Amino acid sequence: MDESSDRIYTAFEPRPLTALEQALEVVERDVRVRGITGTLRLITPGDGALTWVEFQGGYHGAGITADGDIYDRLADVAEAVQETIMELTWKVWPVCVTHDRGLHVDVEQEIAVWRCTGDATHTVSRVGELP
């Protein structure tokens, strides 16, 4: 792991919404590297207790909270981005290039990662570092 990768996981602001915004920036790297375009942003309609990820003007899912440590927040935002993109585009994202299967977010040794269940479960990359 190089120094720039370390900053992804150590530079989160302690304020909850700011941390979610920073997590969205990290996940957006994975979205862009896989060729998906369109606006991603956080929205907090209603009483502000829950936040959703909006993609191209739409959002989906149960919403996320700013609870938990930075790795949980990053994993929650990654799952919300994944769910929203897949619902609005009707395409699986992201996909393991080796097994052509959809990836799943997990927290492994305090690091949010993308995992594949093909050929014995394996970690593809950290969230924010998809190849």
Side-chain angles (χ1 to χ4, degrees):
M1 173 173 35
D2 64 23
E3 185 178 312
S4 65
S5 298
D6 269 345
R7 270 182 287 194
I8 290 172
Y9 296 94
T10 59
F12 282 99
E13 238 338 284
R15 293 176 304 223
L17 189 55
T18 302
L20 292 179
E21 291 167 345
Q22 291 171 329
L24 183 61
E25 290 175 17
V26 171
V27 178
E28 189 168 8
R29 294 176 190 154
D30 290 339
V31 172
R32 303 304 177 216
V33 78
R34 293 297 174 99
I36 296 175
T37 59
T39 303
L40 279 169
R41 69 183 186 121
L42 296 176
I43 58 171
T44 308
D47 65 5
L50 294 173
T51 300
W52 281 265
V53 172
E54 182 183 77
F55 174 66
Q56 296 181 332
Y59 62 96
H60 185 75
I64 53 178
T65 67
D67 297 337
D69 61 30
I70 60 172
Y71 308 108
D72 291 331
R73 290 178 191 164
L74 183 55
D76 290 347
V77 170
E79 284 178 331
V81 168
Q82 180 182 41
E83 183 176 15
T84 300
I85 286 175
M86 291 192 324
E87 181 64 29
L88 297 176
T89 66
W90 288 57
K91 295 179 183 176
V92 175
W93 176 87
V95 174
C96 175
V97 295
T98 304
H99 299 105
D100 197 32
R101 287 185 160 192
L103 300 177
H104 303 275
V105 177
D106 198 3
V107 176
E108 180 179 282
Q109 298 176 358
E110 296 188 333
I111 297 172
V113 297
W114 291 110
R115 301 195 73 182
C116 173
T117 59
D119 221 10
T121 302
H122 65 101
T123 299
V124 174
S125 76
R126 289 177 169 205
V127 170
E129 298 179 3
L130 274 176

